[in-house]
Amino acid sequence: DSGVTQTPKHLITATGQRVTLRCSPRSGDLSVYWYQQSLDQGLQFLIQYYNGEERAKGNILERFSAQQFPDLHSELNLSSLELGDSALYFCASSALQGASGGDTQYFGPGTRLTVL
Amino acid sequence: AQSVAQPEDQVNVAEGNPLTVKCTYSVSGNPYLFWYVQYPNRGLQFLLKYITGDNLVKGSYGFEAEFNKSQTSFHLKKPSALVSDSALYFCAVRDKTDSNYQLIWGAGTKLIIKP
């Protein structure tokens, strides 16, 4: 158990809908990262937050957004869902913002999103 | 540009034999290197990392990896494979001089250990 929790574990929804995925980082970790893993695209970095502020953006669609709250939990919002958004969405956390280099990311169990 | 290559989509090894999962990288500066393992329907688990110092890094579950700067490689190894080692393995790199701080991930290698 990494100490990172994600809810829900599974989510089934229809095209055009909006969903929110939730992540609670390990105790004391300030950084949260969101990743998308699909069969044909591998692991794709979406976005990183550090202590409530956006730190880096990866291949995140404009339909997707995220935030990190004062208690450091994070939410990933996916809107106008398309069939191709079906994937595993992982959250990871680390102690720092990555500047120390050796900062290790610890992953949650993921949320499996199915868009029908 | 930074990149990571895992040249083998799949590696098949007989139980009890040594295993190697290959990773090569390209960064402009010096690298931080990581290995993660993903079991079916699970999140990624951290195995080991190289930051500096000894080129041979030991990690969880009996795995080790050797940093080779001249060959820009960080291959994952285990002396004797177990069926339970069957999983998806990811290599990742971060350039020490890159202010973006992001990990660059390989595509993953599926390791299958046959009894």
Side-chain angles (χ1 to χ4, degrees), chain B residues 66-98:
Chain B
E66 185 167 11
F67 170 61
N68 188 318
K69 187 172 183 177
S70 63
Q71 297 187 6
T72 61
S73 68
F74 190 56
H75 301 331
L76 182 69
K77 300 182 179 184
K78 187 173 181 180
S80 178
L82 300 172
V83 172
S84 58
D85 293 329
S86 299
L88 187 59
Y89 290 80
F90 289 95
C91 179
V93 67
R94 180 187 291 129
D95 188 334
K96 290 183 182 181
T97 61
D98 186 354

Side-chain angles (χ1 to χ4, degrees), chain A residues 25-75:
Chain A
R26 293 189 320 157
S27 178
D29 282 0
L30 299 178
S31 272
V32 169
Y33 309 77
W34 285 99
Y35 291 89
Q36 179 192 58
Q37 185 181 37
S38 53
L39 282 174
D40 59 347
Q41 297 252 336
L43 196 65
Q44 298 290 322
F45 167 69
L46 297 178
I47 197 165
Q48 177 200 357
Y49 279 81
Y50 173 71
N51 204 19
E53 295 188 3
E54 184 183 302
R55 183 64 184 85
K57 259 186 175 179
N59 301 318
I60 188 166
L61 300 172
E62 287 192 8
R63 300 184 285 109
F64 296 180
S65 65
Q67 54 183 328
Q68 186 179 28
F69 295 86
D71 66 353
L72 301 178
H73 91 271
S74 177
E75 293 181 356

Side-chain angles (χ1 to χ4, degrees), chain A residues 37 48 55 101-102 104-105, chain B residues 32 36 38 49 94 101-102:
Chain A
Q37 185 181 37
Q48 177 200 357
R55 183 64 184 85
T104 299
Q105 295 182 24
Chain B
Y32 296 111
Y36 285 80
Q38 184 180 24
K49 67 182 177 184
R94 180 187 291 129
Y101 310 135
Q102 292 311 307

